[in-house]
Amino acid sequence: MNPVALLTPTYGRDLEICTLLCESVDRHVTSFSRHYLLVPDCDLSLFAPLASDRRMIIPASAFLPDWLRPLPRMIQRKRRQFWWSLRAKPVSGWHVQQILKIAAAMSLPHERFCILDSDIVFFRDFDLAGFEYPNTIPLLRTDDAVTADQPRHSRWLETSHQLLGVPTPPFPAPDFIGHIIFWDRETTRALAERIEAVTGMSWIEALCKTREFSEYLLYGFFVQNDATSAVRHTVVPKTSCISYWDDPTLSKIELNRLLARANRDDVAFSIASFSGTPVETIREVVAESDAILASRAAGEPVGLPALC
């Protein structure tokens, strides 16, 4: 069998929440081969303390072409770093993170990958043994979720189909964006080959020129339109992660309530960084959750809110 590898693209501003992710992975996630953190070269020293026997910190330059280079940190827009080239307009660090996911999944010596964004935190045990190659892996598909009144999603829908050379479906259309996403290496390679065949250029150059794209929509719609890739996946309507995408900052009480509504198969949660929820608040809630699980495993009574 070939154990799943974990992929997390991240950067310096997410160091604190990424550290919490890594701690929760070490406590709760089993049956994986290695956890890779993909970071800008200038942030390598920041993330170095997170390296271990099962966690490797890899610079972005290991997967990016020489013609795509980071602008100096002092040149930012809305606190975002940008990469420049002579082949396309500058692309943001957010776009580069998407490119890194595809490049890493194509290049690293593993058949299956579980992609974890920096803001994911595990609060229950998660065994990845069932997702090893040659088993099928879940493909998140939320039907009728992309509508015409969603400017970014609808644009990503259009560019995904343009890059894949297939007709754009009518609205409402499926969405493939979520947390705890699984990818297959051969499928990712076939996706890149399709983009190159359609655009007549390298897949990275095509994405840089497109700029408005979603890696998860690209992967999902490619699988949906490719019979060989489809048999490697099982379509699922949700993942095992509670996702909070709203703006308001969560208090400790509100975060506890969020976890209290977790389904039995939910193992993690993700709080969008733009909500401004303090990492220390998240850490406190996770510590309480771990204490509940430990007490129940020992058969001890607890007075905290039930999370299971």
Side-chain angles (χ1 to χ4, degrees):
M1 300 297 284
N2 191 309
V4 175
L6 308 179
L7 284 182
T8 300
T10 187
Y11 72 129
R13 283 177 56 191
D14 282 348
L15 176 62
E16 190 177 8
I17 190 65
C18 186
T19 299
L20 185 54
L21 162 67
C22 294
E23 292 171 357
S24 72
V25 165
D26 294 342
R27 280 194 302 270
H28 293 293
V29 183
T30 55
S31 302
F32 68 93
S33 55
R34 182 162 286 184
H35 185 188
Y36 296 95
L37 302 185
L38 316 176
V39 307
D41 293 47
C42 58
D43 290 334
L44 278 175
S45 60
L46 294 177
F47 288 90
L50 298 179
S52 68
D53 291 342
R54 303 187 71 185
R55 181 168 296 109
M56 180 179 292
I57 320 300
I58 304 182
S61 60
F63 298 112
L64 298 177
D66 291 340
W67 53 262
L68 186 60
R69 297 178 178 275
L71 286 168
R73 276 286 171 87
M74 65 184 69
I75 304 175
Q76 295 187 356
R77 184 171 179 262
K78 295 182 179 179
R79 300 180 66 190
R80 289 184 177 181
Q81 185 179 15
F82 283 80
W83 270 250
W84 71 278
S85 74
L86 297 177
R87 306 188 183 192
K89 294 180 180 180
V91 292
S92 71
W94 179 65
H95 290 107
V96 168
Q97 286 191 357
Q98 296 183 69
I99 291 171
L100 289 175
K101 292 175 188 178
I102 298 172
M106 291 171 57
S107 305
L108 292 172
H110 308 277
E111 296 295 333
R112 297 285 163 74
F113 297 89
C114 178
I115 302 175
L116 305 173
D117 289 339
S118 295
D119 55 15
I120 290 176
V121 182
F122 288 90
F123 63 95
R124 289 181 181 152
D125 293 345
F126 188 41
D127 186 4
L128 292 169
F131 307 108
E132 295 177 344
Y133 179 85
N135 297 332
T136 62
I137 53 175
L139 175 70
L140 173 66
R141 185 178 72 196
T142 310
D143 291 333
D144 299 333
V146 181
T147 57
D149 61 352
Q150 298 172 311
R152 299 184 76 188
H153 271 67
S154 59
R155 178 58 181 156
W156 296 339
L157 179 77
E158 294 170 357
T159 57
S160 295
H161 287 75
Q162 290 169 2
L163 289 164
L164 296 175
V166 294
T168 302
F171 296 108
D175 193 2
F176 297 90
I177 298 174
H179 293 107
I180 308 184
I181 299 297
F182 287 87
W183 279 5
D184 170 77
R185 179 169 64 170
E186 290 307 312
T187 300
T188 310
R189 288 176 172 173
L191 164 63
E193 291 172 358
R194 172 71 66 82
I195 294 172
E196 293 182 342
V198 169
T199 64
M201 63 187 74
S202 75
W203 67 269
I204 293 181
E205 184 175 351
L207 293 186
C208 287
K209 288 186 174 180
T210 301
R211 301 182 80 235
E212 295 183 73
F213 65 90
S214 162
E215 79 283 36
Y216 292 143
L217 290 186
L218 274 170
Y219 187 96
F221 282 115
F222 175 74
V223 173
Q224 185 170 283
N225 286 276
D226 185 76
T228 301
S229 299
V231 298
R232 304 185 186 116
H233 300 77
T234 299
V235 174
V236 297
K238 66 180 295 293
T239 68
S240 299
C241 184
I242 307 167
S243 299
Y244 179 78
W245 300 98
D246 298 329
D247 290 327
T249 298
L250 291 178
S251 66
K252 182 178 176 181
I253 292 175
E254 291 168 330
L255 184 48
N256 266 317
R257 287 173 180 166
L258 183 71
L259 295 193
R261 295 196 299 269
N263 295 324
R264 188 170 296 275
D265 60 348
D266 289 326
V267 299
F269 65 88
S270 171
I271 308 298
S273 59
F274 54 73
S275 75
T277 302
V279 174
E280 191 54 41
T281 299
I282 300 174
R283 183 179 292 279
E284 290 178 12
V285 171
V286 171
E288 291 179 3
S289 174
D290 287 340
I292 292 171
L293 294 177
S295 297
R296 288 182 175 174
E300 300 172 357
V302 293
L304 296 173
L307 297 185
C308 299

